[in-house]
Amino acid sequence: MKITLSTLNKMKRDGQKIAMLTCYDATFAAIEAAAGVDILLIGDSLGNVVQGHASTLPVTLEDMIYHTAAVARGAGPALVLADMPFGSSQVSPEKTFENAARLMAAGAEMVKIEGGEVMIETVRFLASRGIPVCAHIGLQPQSVNVYGGYKIQGKSEDEAETLRRDALALQEAGAAMVLMELVPAAVAQTVTEALSIPTIGIGAGAGTDGQVLVLHDMLGLCPGKKRFLRNFMTGSSCIQTAIETYVNAVKSGEFPAAEHCF
């Protein structure tokens, strides 16, 4: 059965966890869809894991269009979500719509935009014109130079309240989903409970409606230890099995466990 926005909203209402995983090509799209991944995210993380850059900032709209088209060809029933890369949404709502429309034409069924309250008018403009938007709050990798590194967001009471306020404002503006990155588990759960739309977490605890990881991270292909990660290749006989284990762990609530949370 094809995964749609209606499917995701029903999953939230029914308490069924949503499994998202990054994907960059048709072969892995087919593997992930067969393993039960609900949402394939063409992440601008491809700048790191595919292109070898130190950050996501060099990724272009043309890069994202190319990889989105490739993933869409193999996605099967999974929903295709594409990141809007740096510089493609930090412009006027009209220009952002033009850029998002190119991703939709390539096969995306939703676009992801980093930013809180500052992106409200852009989200409203896109949503009112038929482009579903996933809002990305908490740590925003495209703003890494502002943060001075990849740091946990929402630790203080004021920061936590700002996250909650941003999420509610983005929902009111028409966002179809909210992704929270590197946020304390208690804060992410509070935001999730305040929203009627689904939430996805990465390093945001188990209280969100779903989880996402970078494919290469969950397969143990990237050096370095990150607290919120689990290597799903450990104990798995092949990549297909590792992805199935990830999906089952998300669906059952086994992942993330306490040791993966902040």
Side-chain angles (χ1 to χ4, degrees):
M1 183 179 71
K2 175 63 182 173
I3 304 295
T4 65
L5 288 180
S6 295
T7 310
L8 300 178
N9 287 324
K10 185 176 188 303
M11 291 175 75
K12 178 182 176 77
R13 291 194 301 269
D14 294 346
Q16 299 176 6
K17 294 292 187 180
I18 300 164
M20 182 192 296
L21 196 59
T22 66
C23 190
Y24 314 102
D25 61 53
T27 298
F28 268 99
I31 291 171
E32 292 183 26
V37 176
D38 299 305
I39 305 173
L40 307 181
L41 169 62
I42 303 93
D44 58 3
S45 51
L46 68 89
N48 305 94
V49 299
V50 176
Q51 297 176 334
H53 296 299
S55 74
T56 64
L57 300 182
V59 177
T60 66
L61 182 61
E62 285 68 30
D63 291 335
M64 294 303 302
I65 290 169
Y66 174 89
H67 287 278
T68 296
V71 169
R73 295 183 192 110
L79 188 143
V80 178
L81 168 62
D83 266 340
M84 297 205 67
F86 182 67
S88 68
S89 61
Q90 295 89 351
V91 289
S92 68
E94 291 81 4
K95 182 61 177 178
T96 302
F97 176 85
E98 179 182 323
N99 294 334
R102 294 183 66 194
L103 286 169
M104 299 292 284
E109 294 162 309
M110 185 189 302
V111 298
K112 181 162 72 65
I113 296 177
E114 294 187 12
E117 194 170 8
V118 68
M119 300 307 296
I120 286 174
E121 291 308 314
T122 295
V123 170
R124 181 175 288 114
F125 192 91
L126 267 60
S128 66
R129 288 160 175 79
I131 297 184
V133 176
C134 173
H136 183 149
I137 60 175
L139 176 73
Q140 298 157 39
Q142 292 175 10
S143 300
V144 63
N145 291 320
V146 174
Y147 297 134
Y150 298 94
K151 300 177 180 179
I152 302 170
Q153 304 297 305
K155 291 192 293 184
S156 72
E157 288 187 13
D158 287 346
E159 289 176 347
E161 176 56 25
T162 296
L163 280 172
R164 190 187 73 86
R165 187 170 61 247
D166 283 353
L168 286 168
L170 288 160
Q171 174 180 264
E172 190 278 331
M177 190 159 62
V178 170
L179 186 148
M180 290 178 277
E181 181 169 356
L182 283 189
V183 172
V187 175
Q189 181 168 344
T190 298
V191 172
T192 297
E193 291 171 351
L195 298 179
S196 60
I197 58 176
T199 63
I200 305 292
I202 177 168
T208 54
D209 297 310
Q211 299 293 325
V212 63
L213 287 178
V214 172
L215 173 66
H216 295 62
D217 285 341
M218 61 82 62
L219 293 177
L221 298 177
C222 297
K225 175 67 175 175
K226 298 175 183 176
R227 177 172 174 175
F228 61 86
L229 293 181
R230 171 178 159 187
N231 182 354
F232 284 88
M233 276 302 294
T234 302
S236 297
S237 59
C238 64
I239 288 173
Q240 179 84 35
T241 301
I243 297 174
E244 290 173 354
T245 301
Y246 165 72
V247 170
N248 291 335
V250 170
K251 299 286 188 181
S252 68
E254 175 191 342
F255 177 81
E259 63 265 28
H260 306 120
C261 303
F262 299 99

